[in-house]
Amino acid sequence: MTAPAATPNPAQTTAPGPRPLRVAGIDVSLTGTAVATLGGTTRIPTTGRRLDLLHTRHARLQTIARGALEAVGDVDLAVIEGPSFGSFGGSAWDRGGLWWLITDGLLDHEIPTAVMPPRCRAKYATGNGNAGKTGVMAAVQHTYGAVFATDDECDSFVLRAAGLDWAGQPLVTVPETHRGGLLGCEWPDREAVTAR
């Protein structure tokens, strides 16, 4: 008696597609830094005052940075919103310090990191680099069907979506006018992202 002919296994005859990339978007804020990953968004709310003593401000920044880096985890690409150089008032020094603490942590963990300026983030979301927070939130709801409680979470989602698009794995196809927002960013070496 002869054995029946083996039926080819489709999994063996089909070439595998690209591995889904793990991308995180990070919106830096003293009051609500947000991180978007495949698992959803995490927001790290804190309170403080400009007149707080140095050790209090330091502890606050450390808490936010640790929380953000923990939420990012081990990813192939992190997209952090760049500093808003035109913003004055508030706690610009503390915001800048927080941005560097988080960025330094990403780079220390050898996570390929992209910097997306605020205008590029708005352009990617809406097609208009001058769009405000409410315009971005409305565009994200329309394009992705996603609703967020805060603009911090919404912005982190846009940063993640932009990173996925740049890497060739977009969440949805957006118009070329929106994709123009990818052009003004500082992207890491593509091979470093796909090789992780």
Side-chain angles (χ1 to χ4, degrees), residues 49-187:
R49 299 173 301 140
R50 262 182 286 166
L51 299 179
D52 283 341
L53 296 176
L54 185 63
H55 71 277
T56 302
R57 291 164 47 215
H58 174 260
R60 181 185 185 194
L61 298 186
Q62 289 289 328
T63 296
I64 298 168
R66 276 194 301 269
L69 293 170
E70 183 179 312
V72 167
D74 184 25
V75 294
D76 302 303
L77 172 66
V79 183
I80 189 166
E81 184 171 79
S84 178
F85 295 112
S87 296
F88 298 99
S91 301
W93 280 94
D94 288 359
R95 277 196 312 276
L98 176 60
W99 189 90
W100 274 111
L101 281 174
I102 295 171
T103 302
D104 186 58
L106 295 169
L107 297 176
D108 277 352
H109 287 94
E110 298 183 350
I111 294 173
T113 302
V115 179
M116 185 171 217
R119 288 177 60 93
C120 292
R121 187 241 328 126
K123 185 170 181 63
Y124 185 79
T126 68
N128 174 5
N130 293 320
K133 299 288 189 183
T134 56
V136 169
M137 290 182 79
V140 166
Q141 182 175 357
H142 178 266
T143 304
Y144 302 93
V147 178
F148 296 96
T150 68
D151 56 60
D152 303 309
E153 293 166 287
C154 183
D155 287 349
S156 69
F157 177 87
V158 172
L159 294 164
R160 177 175 182 268
L164 284 163
D165 194 344
W166 171 81
Q169 298 181 5
L171 291 174
V172 300
T173 301
V174 298
E176 285 303 311
T177 52
H178 292 54
R179 292 193 84 244
L182 301 176
L183 300 177
C185 305
E186 181 181 339
W187 296 103

